[in-house]
Amino acid sequence: MSARPEPADQPAVVVAGDALTDLTPARTADGAAAFQPRPGGSCLNVAAGLGRLRVPTALLARISDDHFGGLLRAHLAASGTRLTRALPASAPHSHRRASARGRVGRLLLPRERHRRPRPAP
């Protein structure tokens, strides 16, 4: 039995989940406290790692169009991860809201498709 070959434009792996910006403590040139933005999120890290290993990989996540989203896109592109499955998020800082909620599904669905939980009987 032979495996069906993957088309050249299709990734072998699609990682679905979080892509967020970690703000790590840093210092400015004059010694003042600051934060350094760094790409993060377990799913983004897995996708970037696979890309660096030259595995054809795409990340399915919602990435904002602001500065932080640009940081994530640049990091993924530099690792060789395809952005063909990334969904645009017009609301700024959507990745921070998602990390606070801890629900990846809210990243992948437009706001009008979110369902509120029903109260217990």
Side-chain angles (χ1 to χ4, degrees):
M1 176 192 262
S2 64
R4 198 169 95 193
E6 290 288 325
D9 62 339
Q10 295 295 317
V13 176
V14 176
V15 179
D18 57 349
L20 29 114
T21 302
D22 295 327
L23 297 175
T24 58
R27 295 274 175 195
T28 63
D30 63 357
F35 290 99
Q36 173 71 39
R38 299 188 187 276
S42 59
C43 296
L44 178 135
N45 291 335
V46 168
L50 288 170
R52 284 192 297 271
L53 293 171
R54 299 182 192 260
V55 175
T57 304
L59 176 66
L60 171 61
R62 199 144 181 195
I63 301 176
S64 65
D65 294 330
D66 62 3
H67 171 74
F68 293 119
L71 175 74
L72 300 178
R73 289 179 204 291
H75 176 70
L76 290 166
S79 73
T81 302
R82 298 177 190 177
L83 297 172
T84 55
R85 303 291 197 276
L87 304 171
S90 57
H93 313 300
S94 60
H95 44 278
R96 284 196 313 181
R97 283 199 312 267
S99 67
R101 289 184 184 140
R103 294 185 181 166
V104 174
R106 290 187 181 259
L107 277 176
L108 301 177
L109 295 174
R111 182 171 293 282
E112 60 273 4
R113 301 245 343 248
H114 295 179
R115 290 189 178 176
R116 298 198 183 274
R118 293 182 184 190

